[in-house]
């Protein structure tokens, strides 16, 4: 007589959400909760001091545009499992390259191309050092940050470079379109492009696969080294564009543009739901994170806090970002 295998009864699925899923939900949408809390806090405390005006919200979005754009590219870098600390220095290098080219008699679009190419070149160098030589990206970009900042200071001996070209200044920072500052248009446009690329293109899926599990991505035929190289080039290009936008807004180029930008960008990315360990990312969340940081800075200035107090709050934000970047324990 043939015996039948006895199978164990299937467990009844619990109707209560697991702790892990609840924590994951909180991590995914924490930036929106915090952003709402920040807005409510400042609305209650300084709403009568100009915080709740349309002009102030425009000012927040305008002054945050450069951080937002760098953060979009940083999202791809971190999602691939790497880090780029050189973006602030590259921002200043691009601004100075463009400014010196304009002063040298080049048309604004040629000068802007020089600035963008300088950022692309630094991104390429970072990517090659990481992917071909195998140096950790933290060390590579930390060294590049110092090297490029020294170049920024040496090229002009810390003197500002005036940019008198009205077309350049209007397009890259000081102008408006239908009453909307060009800086806001730049950031919103690139947020849309970044979201589409990350979510709906092969490149975006390969970035997430590379950061999620590089070994599996390699076995599936993805050239993960090339993907990482492209993300570093994208980061350098975005930092260079941010330098042009700083120049257009200030109508001058300075060696200290972008100081602290790398930390603000990383904080915005992690607060926005991108995993510090790679494989998970959100451009829209990054945008919200950057705007939240800009809102906090704006609110603290209106409240009259001095620079040291603002720095303490900014440090708290970075710690908070790292805390929410931790993988949930099982």
């Amino acid at each position: 007589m043939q015996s039948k295998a006895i199978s164990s009864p299937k467990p009844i699925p619990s109707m209560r959400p697991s702790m892990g899923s609840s924590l994951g939900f909180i991590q995914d949408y924490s930036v929106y909760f915090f952003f709402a809390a920040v807005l409510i806090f400042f609305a209650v405390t300084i709403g009568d001091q100009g915080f709740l005006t349309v002009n102030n919200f425009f000012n927040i979005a305008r002054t945050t545009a450069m951080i937002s754009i760098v953060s979009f590219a940083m999202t791809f870098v971190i999602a691939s499992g790497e880090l780029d600390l050189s973006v602030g220095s590259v921002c200043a290098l691009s601004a100075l390259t463009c400014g010196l080219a304009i002063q040298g008699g080049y048309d604004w679009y040629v000068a802007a191309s020089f600035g963008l190419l300088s950022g692309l070149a630094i991104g390429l160098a970072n990517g090659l050092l990481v992917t071909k030589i195998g140096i950790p990206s933290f060390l590579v970009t930390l060294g590049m940050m110092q090297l490029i900042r020294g170049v920024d200071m040496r090229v002009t001996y810390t003197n500002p470079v005036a940019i008198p070209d009205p077309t350049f200044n209007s397009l890259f920072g000081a102008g408006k379109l239908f009453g909307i500052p060009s800086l806001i248009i730049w950031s919103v446009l690139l947020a849309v492009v970044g979201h589409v690329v990350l979510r709906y293109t092969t490149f975006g899926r390969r970035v997430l696969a590379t950061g999620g599990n590089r070994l599996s991505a390699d076995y599936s035929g993805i050239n993960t080294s090339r993907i990482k190289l492209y993300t570093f080039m994208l980061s350098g290009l975005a930092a260079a564009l941010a330098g042009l936008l700083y120049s257009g807004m200030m109508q001058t180029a300075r060696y200290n543009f972008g100081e602290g930008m790398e930390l603000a960008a990383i904080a915005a990315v992690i607060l926005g739901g991108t995993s510090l360990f790679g494989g998970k990312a959100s451009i829209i969340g990054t945008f919200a994170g950057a705007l939240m940081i800009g809102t906090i800075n704006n609110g603290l200035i209106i409240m009259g806090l001095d620079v040291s107090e603002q720095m303490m709050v900014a440090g708290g934000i970075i710690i908070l970002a790292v805390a929410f970047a931790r993988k949930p324990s099982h």
Side-chain angles (χ1 to χ4, degrees):
M1 183 176 179
Q2 186 178 3
S3 61
K4 294 182 178 180
I6 300 176
S7 60
S8 60
K10 296 181 179 180
I12 299 175
S14 174
M15 299 301 292
R16 298 174 62 185
S18 66
M19 183 64 70
S21 62
S22 299
L23 181 57
F25 177 83
I26 293 174
Q27 288 179 320
D28 289 342
Y29 296 98
S30 61
V31 65
Y32 306 108
F33 299 140
F34 286 135
F35 200 175
V38 165
L39 288 173
I40 293 171
F41 172 77
F42 285 128
V44 171
T45 56
I46 56 174
D48 58 345
Q49 299 179 40
F51 177 78
L52 291 177
T53 63
V54 174
N55 286 336
N56 187 54
F57 288 139
F58 267 173
N59 182 54
I60 292 172
R62 183 176 62 87
T63 55
T64 311
M66 285 69 75
I67 298 294
S68 298
I69 290 169
V70 171
S71 299
F72 299 153
M74 186 74 77
T75 301
F76 284 87
V77 175
I78 294 178
S80 72
E82 302 296 345
L83 203 62
D84 188 355
L85 300 177
S86 66
V87 289
S89 301
V90 172
C91 172
L93 177 66
S94 171
L96 292 172
T97 300
C98 178
L100 291 173
I102 289 177
Q103 286 197 351
Y106 288 95
D107 292 328
W108 69 266
Y109 51 86
V110 177
S113 299
F114 288 160
L116 294 175
L117 287 173
S118 68
L120 192 63
I122 300 302
L124 176 62
N126 285 335
L128 290 175
L129 289 170
V130 171
T131 60
K132 299 301 182 182
I133 300 181
I135 306 175
S137 59
F138 177 85
L139 297 177
V140 167
T141 58
L142 179 63
M144 193 66 75
M145 175 181 70
Q146 293 292 93
L147 190 155
I148 299 302
R149 186 65 73 182
V151 171
D152 295 337
M153 298 176 69
R154 184 66 175 178
V155 165
T156 61
Y157 295 95
T158 71
N159 294 317
V161 178
I163 301 180
D165 191 297
T167 304
F168 175 88
N169 293 330
S170 177
L171 179 62
F172 285 100
K176 292 184 178 181
L177 181 64
F178 303 115
I180 302 176
S182 58
L183 288 173
I184 298 178
I185 296 174
W186 275 106
S187 59
V188 171
L189 178 63
L190 292 177
V192 173
V193 172
H195 176 73
V196 170
V197 170
L198 183 64
R199 290 300 178 193
Y200 303 108
T201 68
T202 301
F203 174 71
R205 290 189 291 270
R206 288 179 176 177
V207 168
L208 295 174
T210 298
N213 191 321
R214 184 174 184 178
L215 185 60
S216 297
D218 283 329
Y219 281 138
S220 66
I222 297 174
N223 189 333
T224 55
S225 293
R226 183 179 298 174
I227 292 296
K228 289 176 180 284
L229 176 62
Y230 288 162
T231 62
F232 279 108
M233 293 174 66
L234 180 63
S235 180
L237 189 62
L241 176 58
L244 300 185
L245 296 177
Y246 269 122
S247 299
M249 181 177 70
M250 305 295 293
Q251 300 184 21
T252 187
R254 297 178 180 273
Y255 77 94
N256 59 350
F257 279 174
E259 285 187 340
M261 173 180 281
E262 54 283 333
L263 296 182
I266 293 171
V269 171
I270 304 306
L271 282 172
T274 296
S275 172
L276 190 58
F277 307 96
K280 175 185 173 185
S282 169
I283 293 294
I284 303 302
T286 294
F287 200 10
L291 288 173
M292 186 179 76
I293 293 174
T295 301
I296 291 173
N297 291 334
N298 176 267
L300 295 178
I301 291 173
I302 295 177
M303 291 179 70
L305 272 67
D306 61 29
V307 175
S308 63
E309 292 167 325
Q310 294 176 38
M311 290 178 66
M312 287 188 288
V313 174
I317 292 173
I318 294 172
I319 294 173
L320 182 65
V322 174
F324 274 87
R326 291 185 299 112
K327 290 183 177 180
S329 58
H330 298 287

